[in-house]
Amino acid sequence: VAPSPAAAARRGCPIDHAALSAHKAPTGCPVSHRAADFDPFSDGYQQNPPDYVRWSREQEPVFYSPQLGYWVVTRFDDIKAIFRDNISFSPSIALEKITPTGPEANAVLAQYGFALNRTLVNEDEPAHMPRRRALMDPFTPEHLAHHEPLVRRLAREYVDRFIDDGRADLVDQMLWEVPLTVALHFLGVPEEDMDKLREYSIAHTVNTWGRPKPEEQVAVAHAVGNFWQLAGKVLEKMRQNPEADGWMQYGIRKQKEMPEVVTDSYLHSMMMAGIVAAHETTANATANAVKLLLQHPHVWREICEDPSLIPNAVEECLRHNGSVAAWRRLATVDCEVGGVPILAGSKLLIVTSSANHDEGHFADADLLDIRRDNASDHLTFGYGSHQCMGKNLARMEMQVFLEEFTRRLPHMKLAPQSFSYVPNTSFRGPEHLWVEWDPAQNPERRDAAVREGERSPVRIGEPSGHAISRPVRVEAATPAADGVLHLRLVAPDGTSLPRWAPGSHIDVECGDSGLSRQYSLCGDPADARAFEIAVLDDPDSRGGSAWVHANVKPGDRLRIRGPRNHFRLDEGAQRLVFVAGGIGITPVMAMARRAREMGTPYELHYCGRKREGMAFIDALQALHGEHLKLHVSEEGSRLDLQTLLATPQEGTQVYACGPLRMLQALEAACVHWPEDTLRVEHFESTLGTLDPSKEQAFEVELKDSGLTLPVRADQTLLAALRAANIDVQSDCEEGLCGSCEVRVLQGPVDHRDMVLTRSEREAGQRMMSCCSRACGGQKLVLAL
Ligand code: HEM
């Protein structure tokens, strides 16, 4: 119930409660002071949206903004759930004017016959998916590849124009025009009228997502009206030549096959909206990325030295500082978001840039970490059935631009300046980006070949974990037991390393041997300076550990990947039992340290054949005292698993790492315990290569994306998903690491990975897309 105005005034509530109830706030006055102050047109939001709503992410993740008349949602899980359900949360308001214009501006728009209508991004079902499916082909990685030479040529020519000047506004001199030209080519539009289109598309942004002042509204309306008419004229020109290349011509051809799906109204509206979708988003995203990277000179240096880092750097920039800061949905039913009741008819501003900084999903979320393994989970492209169709074109352009800059202008720096943004809720990028450099130092003055450069292949699609490595220096290499080498790895420049949690591992690349091996981190997560691992020189190893023992010395440089964590400790467990066999102590010791810190009751069983071969015994005894139980078989003290696990206990979790035989014995000893009591870590795969003669093809239905795809007998599920533009991360592609896990909603899975527990397999709700398939060629339904 809304308090009386007098009561509200006594509490200093700044809200007009009458206006609030008109906006359907269901619970009286849910508006805190900070929510009342929220103003997405203010400089605070414009400069840094995720920082501006940090308070909300932390304290009030779903709040009502009386200034905007919208519910604002700021956490990752809530926003992803909204994207997932495009029926309860309709996209129909995505292109609606966020600030309604006055009668004069509306009259101007009417005079131009302005009728921007449903396109794709704001179309409801059941109309949307058939149209999206009909128009998707030109966006698949296979079809996008032929745009790459154009992007490269344009990037080179534009840099040629200013490379000798020592100073440039990258937005004005390159980043605005190149993505516009690429967008026009992609759409199939002739290149003329570029300046007009530029002016018009800014007006369209302000008209849709901005707050033009009454006196500006009329000028904006004229520009938008002109844009609309120009779009109509260009479309007519295209209809004269429907066989030409271009997405619009593809749409014109599809219209002949399915006129009820690809309508006239759609084509005209898309002609206008498509330019903005493809152009401004990418121009802004590149400007944001270059600015962010130059603000982190050590990161800039790293990508200059190692361009293979660029694909993931692009992804991390899109996460950290993307060009779409927020998107919109309309609640069509009474529902809850993050536990807050929302009435049908409520409008939602979903602040995707805030989701991208949610600590609950991205560890150390404010850090720019170009090796972050889940960077591509960001929501800058939206998610689900409306997810950006052009994402892989944008990623490709951004990679080419960064490659060009890092190769030809590695000495570029940000010039002193303050950044301005076109005030609006959604589209975000600096209006100018001044950079400077000393032309005498241009690498191509010494070596003309730099201009052409070596081309590292652009990755069309979501970046792969394989490419993301990080240099480290071996600070110490000391024996920790017979045959066990303890390595302390630090950043070469002594800076902090990414945060990690117990159970995490890193992959160590073994020089030029082509081998890389996974080792659990065994140090203290609070020590941000170093990663510690312990490597057993195992005669049965596949060569990686032998390489480490033979080659690694203090002072050496190594390349590593990660950290990644597929062996997470459940911090909510009431009691923890840790069982380690031999070198399996490494992840377990980091977990036991955490249990001790949290004050959770725990015991640590450490088994080995002989004491001299068991690493870290002294340190473990000093830290864990009587919580540590040593079982040294040569000394006759074997661990009796049957006795240890005789009586199941609710709330207890057992974490184990060690030889396969020990893990199998543990699994047998835990059968009468509640499901998922036992969590284990494997480091070796039994997976062979895919043999098409033994496999069956099957179908997958993707619930969130509204697609059904065939998976051929000679193809993994992961490969089929990627070919259809669905982002799935992957790393080992051997069923070991868990990166490529997808959620299964229906259908029997033939599990072939080493990640899931028995009951997780039986539950059939998750599968590893790199290796697991459908049983007997049956259909699977996935939450993708
Ligand atoms: C949709 C962002 C580049 C074409 C979207 C959506 C977002 C977005 C947030 C709405 C997603 C949703 O509702 O779930 C971006 C960003 C880009 C970019 C940040 C650049 C960095 C492009 C490019 C094209 C494009 C280059 C075309 C060549 C589209 C289309 C849709 C869309 C057609 C509508 C999809 C649908 O509703 O089914 N984009 N976009 N975008 N984008 Fe992009």
Side-chain angles (χ1 to χ4, degrees):
V1 178
S4 69
R10 259 201 314 281
R11 291 211 308 265
C13 177
I15 303 307
D16 173 350
H17 290 89
L20 189 61
S21 50
H23 284 303
K24 295 179 185 269
T27 51
C29 181
V31 182
S32 65
H33 285 272
R34 303 207 66 160
D37 287 343
F38 173 77
D39 176 5
F41 307 108
S42 66
D43 197 49
Y45 180 92
Q46 298 306 319
Q47 292 291 341
N48 190 341
D51 195 45
Y52 182 74
V53 293
R54 183 184 302 279
W55 64 273
S56 158
R57 244 179 356 264
E58 287 169 1
Q59 300 154 28
E60 203 184 339
V62 181
F63 68 88
Y64 183 75
S65 161
Q67 294 201 35
L68 203 59
Y70 274 65
W71 286 90
V72 181
V73 187
T74 55
R75 277 195 190 155
F76 184 92
D77 287 346
D78 294 336
I79 294 181
K80 191 149 177 182
I82 290 171
F83 275 131
R84 219 173 229 140
D85 180 357
N86 66 331
I87 306 298
S88 311
F89 300 102
S90 152
S92 56
I93 57 168
L95 302 182
E96 186 182 284
K97 284 180 213 167
I98 203 157
T99 309
T101 40
E104 208 185 333
N106 293 343
V108 170
L109 285 172
Q111 165 199 324
Y112 287 93
F114 177 73
L116 183 73
N117 215 311
R118 298 298 179 96
T119 56
L120 280 161
V121 80
N122 58 351
E123 181 66 282
D124 279 316
E125 303 310 339
H128 163 257
M129 271 322 289
R131 191 178 291 159
R132 180 172 165 111
R133 278 187 219 114
L135 299 172
M136 185 55 113
D137 247 23
F139 286 103
T140 52
E142 189 192 336
H143 289 97
L144 285 180
H146 82 264
H147 296 281
E148 189 183 328
L150 170 77
V151 181
R152 289 199 183 275
R153 178 171 63 73
L154 289 170
R156 186 171 347 117
E157 286 172 8
Y158 273 71
V159 173
D160 282 347
R161 293 181 191 175
F162 56 70
I163 190 154
D164 291 321
D165 298 351
R167 188 173 156 81
D169 174 357
L170 291 184
V171 173
D172 267 3
Q173 292 175 248
M174 174 168 174
L175 296 181
W176 198 267
E177 287 186 11
V178 178
L180 179 54
T181 312
V182 175
L184 295 176
H185 272 274
F186 178 80
L187 294 171
V189 175
E191 272 176 48
E192 60 228 21
D193 298 323
M194 196 179 278
D195 284 344
K196 273 270 166 281
L197 282 171
R198 170 183 176 153
E199 182 191 324
Y200 293 163
S201 59
I202 294 190
H204 178 55
T205 301
V206 175
N207 183 49
T208 312
W209 295 279
R211 189 163 60 185
K213 297 192 189 79
E215 63 276 16
E216 288 165 351
Q217 286 181 8
V218 171
V220 167
H222 279 291
V224 170
N226 277 313
F227 193 0
W228 175 251
Q229 293 203 337
L230 180 63
K233 283 195 201 114
V234 173
L235 186 62
E236 277 320 304
K237 240 193 257 177
M238 289 171 155
R239 284 189 193 277
Q240 311 308 316
N241 185 13
E243 292 314 311
D245 279 347
W247 189 48
M248 292 307 298
Q249 285 85 348
Y250 185 84
I252 290 168
R253 295 196 291 275
K254 282 278 166 191
Q255 188 178 36
K256 297 218 166 71
E257 275 172 44
M258 35 177 84
E260 68 299 341
V261 172
V262 184
T263 58
D264 278 343
S265 156
Y266 159 76
L267 284 174
H268 191 165
S269 298
M270 198 61 201
M271 187 61 237
M272 178 165 162
I275 295 173
V276 180
H279 165 219
E280 278 193 57
T281 49
T282 314
N284 282 333
T286 314
N288 287 333
V290 174
K291 169 173 172 274
L292 187 64
L293 290 166
L294 293 179
Q295 282 169 333
H296 293 78
H298 62 287
V299 180
W300 176 257
R301 246 192 336 272
E302 276 189 280
I303 64 169
C304 290
E305 281 162 18
D306 181 0
S308 73
L309 292 168
I310 288 177
N312 209 58
V314 163
E315 216 57 34
E316 175 67 347
C317 290
L318 284 165
R319 179 196 73 84
H320 196 284
N321 195 8
S323 53
V324 172
W327 210 241
R328 284 183 283 168
R329 290 290 190 255
L330 174 72
T332 58
V333 290
D334 292 353
C335 54
E336 275 195 1
V337 175
V340 175
I342 303 280
L343 292 186
S346 302
K347 294 178 177 182
L348 307 177
L349 183 75
I350 48 180
V351 188
T352 42
S353 52
S354 166
N356 293 345
H357 281 250
D358 187 335
E359 284 282 331
H361 196 85
F362 299 101
D364 218 349
D366 291 340
L367 178 78
L368 176 73
D369 177 6
I370 55 169
R371 296 181 179 85
R372 189 181 290 278
D373 65 347
N374 67 347
S376 60
D377 269 1
H378 66 74
L379 297 177
T380 304
F381 292 128
Y383 175 78
S385 58
H386 284 271
Q387 194 190 39
C388 178
M389 287 164 78
K391 63 187 177 183
N392 288 332
L393 180 59
R395 284 168 166 156
M396 182 242 277
E397 288 186 57
M398 293 174 72
Q399 286 176 55
V400 171
F401 298 150
L402 286 186
E403 213 182 84
E404 193 73 13
F405 291 144
T406 51
R407 194 181 74 251
R408 300 180 67 190
L409 290 167
H411 49 320
M412 168 164 103
K413 294 197 169 50
L414 271 187
Q417 67 203 294
S418 53
F419 296 101
S420 61
Y421 296 84
V422 174
N424 77 100
T425 52
S426 299
F427 283 52
R428 203 179 154 273
E431 288 182 288
H432 302 281
L433 180 63
W434 281 102
V435 290
E436 50 194 24
W437 63 95
D438 176 2
Q441 303 296 323
N442 289 353
E444 58 203 63
R445 292 203 181 175
R446 290 190 303 280
D447 175 5
V450 171
R451 179 176 175 270
E452 297 295 325
E454 264 179 49
R455 306 271 178 263
S456 26
V458 160
R459 190 179 159 85
I460 301 184
E462 182 256 354
S464 147
H466 277 295
I468 312 166
S469 69
R470 163 189 325 271
V472 286
R473 188 170 55 79
V474 180
E475 191 182 68
T478 40
D482 281 358
V484 178
L485 190 63
H486 177 197
L487 300 182
R488 195 174 149 81
L489 310 172
V490 295
D493 58 0
T495 50
S496 300
L497 290 166
R499 274 194 266 161
W500 58 279
S504 300
H505 66 265
I506 55 172
D507 286 55
V508 175
E509 292 180 3
C510 305
D512 298 328
S513 68
L515 294 173
S516 92
R517 287 292 172 265
Q518 302 184 330
Y519 298 103
S520 295
L521 294 178
C522 61
D524 181 356
D527 175 4
R529 269 205 67 236
F531 290 151
E532 292 182 43
I533 56 172
V535 181
L536 171 68
D537 191 5
D538 179 355
D540 298 334
S541 98
R542 292 171 293 163
S545 303
W547 183 90
V548 171
H549 275 260
N551 294 287
V552 175
K553 327 174 278 306
D556 281 358
R557 293 276 182 121
L558 291 178
R559 295 198 77 87
I560 62 164
R561 285 179 274 132
R564 263 179 277 281
N565 198 348
H566 304 297
F567 190 39
R568 281 180 192 279
L569 182 66
D570 175 359
E571 299 204 342
Q574 289 160 25
R575 185 171 154 263
L576 290 161
V577 176
F578 299 109
V579 182
I583 197 65
I585 190 64
T586 49
V588 166
M589 66 194 267
M591 289 180 161
R593 177 193 289 272
R594 180 71 188 136
R596 182 175 173 274
E597 270 167 18
M598 292 187 301
T600 310
Y602 73 100
E603 51 198 80
L604 167 55
H605 296 270
Y606 184 10
C607 318
R609 211 154 42 79
K610 50 181 186 175
R611 208 170 265 265
E612 305 80 70
M614 294 169 70
F616 306 117
I617 289 184
D618 294 347
L620 290 168
Q621 270 169 338
L623 190 67
H624 298 291
E626 61 191 25
H627 294 278
L628 175 70
K629 313 268 188 281
L630 288 181
H631 307 276
V632 186
S633 49
E634 251 188 21
E635 297 171 15
S637 62
R638 274 180 178 279
L639 171 61
D640 178 354
L641 291 174
Q642 297 302 338
T643 313
L644 176 70
L645 298 165
T647 321
Q649 282 179 21
E650 207 49 55
T652 295
Q653 294 283 352
V654 181
Y655 286 85
C657 185
L660 195 59
R661 224 161 6 99
M662 185 191 97
L663 299 182
Q664 285 165 342
L666 262 167
E667 212 161 292
C670 281
V671 275
H672 60 299
W673 280 64
E675 281 191 11
D676 294 335
T677 298
L678 177 65
R679 318 257 164 137
V680 299
E681 168 112 297
H682 285 282
F683 278 131
E684 268 175 60
S685 170
T686 51
L687 199 69
T689 45
L690 184 77
D691 178 355
S693 66
K694 299 205 177 112
E695 302 296 352
Q696 270 183 290
F698 60 101
E699 255 191 3
V700 278
E701 182 185 327
L702 311 181
K703 195 76 195 312
D704 297 344
S705 312
L707 294 175
T708 301
L709 306 175
V711 182
R712 297 189 315 263
D714 65 349
Q715 198 183 25
T716 62
L717 169 59
L718 181 66
L721 292 171
R722 291 212 168 130
N725 255 3
I726 306 295
D727 293 345
V728 180
Q729 290 151 21
S730 73
D731 184 30
C732 74
E733 299 188 12
E734 290 185 88
L736 280 175
C737 76
S739 316
C740 64
E741 177 178 316
V742 293
R743 276 211 303 137
V744 182
L745 301 173
Q746 222 179 300
V749 182
D750 172 3
H751 292 284
R752 302 178 185 184
D753 64 275
M754 308 286 282
V755 179
L756 298 179
T757 62
R758 181 176 40 85
S759 64
E760 284 167 343
R761 287 174 172 223
E762 281 164 10
Q765 290 170 350
R766 302 153 64 188
M767 71 186 285
M768 300 307 143
S769 58
C770 71
C771 58
S772 300
R773 306 179 71 84
C775 290
Q778 297 184 60
K779 179 169 164 178
L780 297 178
V781 184
L782 305 180
L784 271 179

